[in-house]
Amino acid sequence: MGVEVAAPMPGVVIQIAVSEGESVQEDDTLIVLEAMKMEVPIVAPAAGTVKEIRIKEQDKVGTNQVLLLIA
Amino acid sequence: VHMLEALLSGLYGLTAGFQHLAADWRSVVMLFVGGLLLYLGIKKDCEPLLLVPIGFGCILVNLPLADLMGAEGFLRTIYEAGIATELFPLLIFIGIGAMTDFGPLLANPSTFLLGAAGQFGIFITVILALFLGFSQLDAVAIGVIGACDGPTAIYVSSKFAPHLLPAVSVAAYSYMALVPIIQPPIMRFMTTSREKQIAMKFTAKPVSATTKMLFPLVITILGGLIAPQGLPLLGTIMLGNLMKESGVVARLTKASENEIANVVTLLLGISIGGTMSAAAFIRTETLIILALGFLAICLDTVCGVGFGKLLSLLSGGKVNPLIGAAGISAFPMAARVVQREGNRYNKKSYLLMHAMGANAGGQVGSVIAAAVMLSVLAGMGIIG
């Protein structure tokens, strides 16, 4: 089982900084959301490998929507 | 020869403006002040929508002989129509209401308390201004700079202390733009490193459309009953919000937040600039007002973060006290500052939505604070 990374706030995905299969360290930026005209980097809660990316750039996301999985 | 003399005196007439200006150093200073506001707006991107018309209005009114704020001047006409009547700030408020989402606040009602705490600076500053010898009405107009909300400050000072209007509005708008610089040092100083790093749970509780529609109505009626003097401010912001949340008057909502707000911002800015004549602005009072206004905003931040610390304690460490800084009404600048600061100490901390709740609370809080002060003054028989 992996770790789900969810959106902490509603916003628009403006950048996906990783690709599936990539290994990441804790606190690495995974995705950049734009919320309230502000860029918010969403970081890895733990080290691991990006398993599945569930959104694409320009997608609108809601709070708690799962963005990607890390295993 | 006569022709030549007539021509010379005609040409001489063209220099009259320069002579007047040379004789009045204060107008020259004000031309530089206008230039400084333009520079801040254009080059530094500080509230350009306001500082550009204000700065230019300031230059216009300080050019001698044109007398644009005289009885027949066009700046005077705009001023009398919209500022002396308090109409401009109220029209802007409809737009602000139409732009504000109270969702994060309603999802997390405790953040409303932060919006209230963020107004304490206003009251402390009023007391300080009284102490420094300002009259009661002047002190209220100065304290309201701490609302960190341009239209509220303009509304209150144009109604009760119009002679302070130029200083108060310039202070309110410039400090609003400086929030990202003024707040962080206070926030850092007041919180422990453990507090700074608290990551708050995401708020996902959806707020129903009915709640969002009832909110402006309930606040208007309650606020109107408690502080009738502030009902124009509260009523206009809530009208805009009800229009937005009802979703049935999209055209009016759009007009309020775009066309009306834009037109009024232009007229408001240029006539505020028009009040900045040398005689009204170059006085020691202005410097004291600028200093007191700055203090008011610092105190708001101190009280907001202080109350955030209390909430943090009561919640067993679930609340990050930094969000208290968003309790002032500089919307949404203060909320962004909180997100940035929290993120600086813990990359996994996302405070934006919590701060937005406090910030929306501050928006209403500052209006209520102004309303309460006015109603208290009315109760004391100081104003009619």
Side-chain angles (χ1 to χ4, degrees):
Chain A
M1 253 319 278
V3 181
E4 292 182 336
V5 178
M9 62 195 76
V12 176
V13 178
I14 54 171
Q15 192 201 337
I16 300 175
V18 290
S19 42
E20 285 177 12
E22 199 174 322
S23 64
V24 293
Q25 299 301 310
E26 186 177 346
D27 283 353
D28 278 358
T29 298
L30 305 173
I31 280 165
V32 180
L33 276 189
E34 193 193 275
M36 308 279 170
K37 295 193 178 137
M38 182 178 194
E39 291 184 12
V40 181
I42 310 301
V43 299
T49 307
V50 179
K51 199 94 186 264
E52 183 190 345
I53 299 178
R54 293 196 182 165
I55 37 89
K56 31 183 215 314
E57 285 182 11
Q58 299 310 322
D59 274 4
K60 270 192 177 178
V61 296
T63 306
N64 279 339
Q65 182 178 336
V66 176
L67 306 172
L68 51 74
L69 295 180
I70 292 180
Chain B
V1 178
H2 284 299
M3 268 294 281
L4 195 63
E5 265 173 18
L7 196 65
L8 275 177
S9 54
L11 286 175
Y12 187 74
L14 291 179
T15 67
F18 292 96
Q19 291 170 6
H20 271 83
L21 196 62
D24 185 8
W25 63 270
R26 295 183 312 167
S27 294
V28 179
V29 171
M30 288 314 290
L31 291 181
F32 277 102
V33 171
L36 177 69
L37 296 179
L38 287 178
Y39 172 79
L40 290 174
I42 296 169
K43 280 284 175 197
K44 295 285 170 187
D45 203 30
C46 281
E47 301 283 327
L49 295 176
L50 292 155
L51 290 192
V52 170
I54 292 179
F56 204 83
C58 173
I59 290 177
L60 285 178
V61 78
N62 284 293
L63 289 172
L65 302 177
D67 205 15
L68 296 183
M69 268 306 257
E72 307 275 302
F74 88 96
L75 290 181
R76 168 67 62 191
T77 309
I78 301 175
Y79 176 89
E80 293 295 339
I83 300 209
T85 58
E86 299 127 32
L87 213 56
F88 287 165
L90 296 180
L91 289 172
I92 298 246
F93 259 36
I94 300 180
I96 291 178
M99 283 180 245
T100 306
D101 179 8
F102 289 110
L105 172 67
L106 293 168
N108 232 336
S110 67
T111 52
F112 193 73
L113 295 173
L114 294 169
Q119 312 306 323
F120 273 102
I122 300 181
F123 297 100
I124 302 175
T125 309
V126 170
I127 294 169
L128 217 74
L130 286 173
F131 190 71
L132 287 174
F134 284 94
S135 76
Q136 281 142 327
L137 291 181
D138 288 4
V140 168
I142 294 166
V144 90
I145 299 172
C148 217
D149 182 70
T152 308
I154 290 173
Y155 179 86
V156 172
S157 58
S158 66
K159 205 168 163 78
F160 301 109
H163 59 287
L164 299 183
L165 183 63
V168 168
S169 46
V170 166
Y173 280 121
S174 11
Y175 294 150
M176 217 159 81
L178 290 175
V179 155
I181 298 164
I182 298 175
Q183 288 201 309
I186 301 173
M187 296 160 70
R188 287 173 208 159
F189 178 76
M190 285 190 62
T191 46
T192 65
S193 69
R194 197 189 55 79
E195 285 172 334
K196 287 184 180 80
Q197 292 180 29
I198 297 174
M200 293 178 69
K201 273 218 175 103
F202 317 156
T203 34
K205 231 190 317 172
V207 178
S208 75
T210 318
T211 311
K212 282 184 160 185
M213 270 190 281
L214 281 175
F215 177 74
L217 271 175
V218 170
I219 293 284
T220 301
I221 294 170
L222 268 184
L225 289 173
I226 296 169
Q229 297 281 339
L231 189 56
L233 290 169
L234 201 59
T236 43
I237 195 170
M238 291 305 164
L239 167 65
N241 193 246
L242 178 64
M243 293 199 302
K244 166 188 150 70
E245 297 302 346
S246 73
V248 294
V249 283
R251 279 165 46 183
L252 301 186
T253 314
K254 255 191 66 192
S256 304
E257 63 179 303
N258 298 308
E259 289 83 359
I260 296 176
N262 290 341
V263 171
V264 175
T265 300
L266 172 63
L267 297 176
L268 180 89
I270 197 168
S271 43
I272 290 292
T275 62
M276 294 174 67
S277 64
F281 204 78
I282 301 188
R283 334 160 53 152
T284 31
E285 262 183 4
T286 303
L287 286 177
I288 301 174
I289 290 169
L290 289 175
L292 283 173
F294 180 79
L295 191 71
I297 289 169
C298 293
L299 288 171
D300 284 342
T301 311
V302 168
C303 295
V305 177
F307 197 76
K309 285 170 84 89
L310 183 68
L311 276 189
S312 184
L313 199 70
L314 293 176
S315 67
K318 288 200 186 91
V319 172
N320 187 320
L322 290 177
I323 66 168
I328 68 170
S329 96
F331 188 89
M333 282 87 93
R336 292 191 194 134
V337 169
V338 171
Q339 160 68 24
R340 209 170 291 133
E341 283 300 303
N343 202 246
R344 175 194 298 267
Y345 297 100
N346 177 359
K347 286 193 160 190
K348 290 187 278 291
S349 164
Y350 309 100
L351 300 175
L352 186 62
M353 292 321 279
H354 301 278
M356 278 293 172
N359 214 179
Q363 182 86 49
V364 181
S366 67
V367 171
I368 293 180
V372 165
M373 276 195 305
L374 298 183
S375 292
V376 168
L377 286 177
M380 290 162 68
I382 292 166
I383 56 174

